[in-house]
Amino acid sequence: MGQQDPALSVVVPMFNEEGVLPLLAERLRAVLDGLAEPYEVVAVDDGSTDATAVALRGLRERWPQLRVIRLRRNSGHQAALIAGLMRARGGYVVSIDADLQDPPETIVDMLALARAEKLDIVYGVRGDRSSDTAFKRFTAGAYYRLMRRLVGKQVPAQAGDFRLLSRAAVEALRDLPERTPVLRLVVPWLGFPSGEVHFLRAERAAGRTKYPLSRMLALAVESVTSFSAAPLRVATWLGLLGVAVCGLLAIAVIIAFASGRTVTGWPSILVAVLFLGAVQLLCLGLLGEYVARIYTAVQARPAYFIASDSDPGDDDPGDTAAPGQRRADDDPAVLADSRR
């Protein structure tokens, strides 16, 4: 970190958020200006197709602490979040979504708690989700229960991507070899001293959610397969169960044959065939998920590409495509883009 590095960085990944940007800037700037210490806001435009990029340029003219990073294409929420974290320079780094469901005012409490108790991680925990639909609350609760069961109780319940990280925690993330880590699971796994700040979750201020059911399911699959081999063990147990059921059916067939009742056996055979076929397909599907992750890791393609950075700085950490991967120093094309 250089002498001019801010005390706090706030990373805001966004995709098609032109409607909420004025409200976000108004509330977030009021909070950060009130801290009376140097800060930066790292807005990561994840390949927006609306006027988000134009709105960010206009905001930057009036807000010098705003730093705008644009990705070449839509790379996903987690990739945009990682891009911002890897390029943030603050001694503390807060990540927050642009929809204002997580209140910017809570940042003050998170920073105060981290400094008072010398914590490296402070989670923003949603104490009330009454603004969400019943289906959203049910699926979110099921996700966190599953993650806590697979990963451990160090995963805080109802804590999304609204969190504060110290510089040491960010550097630890940078050293990880994973291409696209699921931060909700990886951050607790780091083992740094942590605390929680509770808040009331509000309704989205404007625009539409960027996490429909399909993306929530994809996040759940990514979380499970990236952090646990439990599904493979489930496949093993299903295989053992199939063997046991087939053994019982074999005994039933022998008994039926000995008693002369072998004609009326087609229902049990049909059930056995269907059961074994379903188990085999399920096991192949689980195995395929892990093979796909291996294939993706072997390809080693960057999770994102930086198109531009409005304030790269002299000691910029580089265009880190993912924790543990190459930086912009190795890519002249990226450097050329960032200097424009």
Side-chain angles (χ1 to χ4, degrees):
M1 295 173 58
Q3 294 181 351
Q4 301 301 319
D5 288 330
L8 176 67
S9 295
V10 179
V11 176
V12 191
M14 54 186 66
F15 175 68
N16 291 349
E17 297 287 5
E18 61 172 322
V20 78
L21 271 178
L23 295 174
L24 172 67
E26 179 182 353
R27 286 180 59 181
L28 185 58
R29 185 171 188 178
V31 170
L32 298 179
D33 286 347
L35 293 175
E37 54 185 301
Y39 70 87
E40 67 171 355
V41 176
V42 183
V44 183
D45 179 13
D46 187 21
S48 297
T49 56
D50 63 356
T52 297
V54 176
L56 285 173
R57 284 199 296 269
L59 283 173
R60 178 168 164 75
E61 293 177 357
R62 306 186 300 274
W63 192 3
Q65 291 88 353
L66 178 63
R67 178 180 175 190
V68 180
I69 296 175
R70 294 193 63 202
L71 305 187
R72 291 188 180 279
R73 61 178 180 83
N74 179 243
S75 302
H77 178 268
Q78 290 294 302
L81 180 56
I82 292 169
L85 290 175
M86 294 300 102
R87 298 178 76 87
R89 306 191 192 97
Y92 290 98
V93 182
V94 173
S95 58
I96 186 172
D97 290 338
D99 55 17
L100 291 176
Q101 288 190 284
D102 302 331
E105 293 78 12
T106 307
I107 294 175
V108 177
D109 299 329
M110 299 169 81
L111 186 60
L113 179 63
R115 287 172 169 170
E117 300 188 12
K118 301 186 185 312
L119 302 176
D120 288 290
I121 304 170
V122 177
Y123 300 102
V125 177
R126 300 153 183 172
D128 181 9
R129 302 191 65 149
S130 58
S131 60
D132 292 334
T133 63
F135 179 76
K136 176 71 173 179
R137 292 196 298 270
F138 172 77
T139 53
Y143 171 82
Y144 287 111
R145 285 193 297 271
L146 177 61
M147 293 305 106
R148 286 167 68 87
R149 189 172 185 85
L150 291 177
V151 181
K153 293 185 178 180
Q154 68 267 26
V155 178
Q158 303 300 330
D161 290 314
F162 185 29
R163 68 177 71 85
L164 176 145
L165 302 174
S166 69
R167 174 49 49 185
V170 173
E171 293 302 320
L173 285 175
R174 186 189 297 279
D175 292 337
L176 293 178
E178 294 180 61
R179 189 179 69 91
T180 52
V182 180
L183 296 177
R184 299 185 188 192
L185 305 182
V186 170
V187 170
W189 175 84
L190 293 174
F192 284 95
S194 63
E196 297 180 358
V197 170
H198 294 258
F199 64 92
L200 299 180
R201 185 171 172 82
E203 294 183 1
R204 170 177 265 274
R208 296 185 301 174
T209 178
K210 305 306 184 296
Y211 262 91
L213 179 60
S214 58
R215 289 201 175 186
M216 288 192 295
L217 290 175
L219 175 64
V221 172
E222 180 79 7
S223 300
V224 172
T225 56
S226 68
F227 218 85
S228 175
L232 292 178
R233 299 190 183 98
V234 170
T236 301
W237 285 108
L238 286 175
L240 293 175
L241 177 61
V243 171
V245 171
C246 289
L248 294 175
L249 289 175
I251 295 173
V253 169
I254 294 173
I255 294 174
F257 179 78
S259 61
R261 292 184 287 107
T262 56
V263 176
T264 58
W266 68 268
S268 60
I269 294 175
L270 182 61
V271 170
V273 171
L274 292 176
F275 177 76
L276 288 176
V279 169
Q280 289 174 348
L281 289 174
L282 178 61
C283 295
L284 285 175
L286 293 174
L287 184 61
E289 288 291 335
Y290 284 89
V291 171
R293 293 191 62 81
I294 295 172
Y295 175 68
T296 302
V298 170
Q299 285 182 314
R301 291 176 182 172
Y304 59 84
F305 286 102
I306 301 290
S308 63
D309 185 342
S310 63
D311 184 21
D314 295 332
D315 60 344
D316 189 87
D319 180 29
T320 308
Q325 293 190 3
R326 64 189 176 91
R327 299 183 177 181
D329 306 48
D330 306 320
D331 190 347
V334 175
L335 278 178
D337 279 338
S338 64
R339 288 170 179 164
R340 290 175 182 174

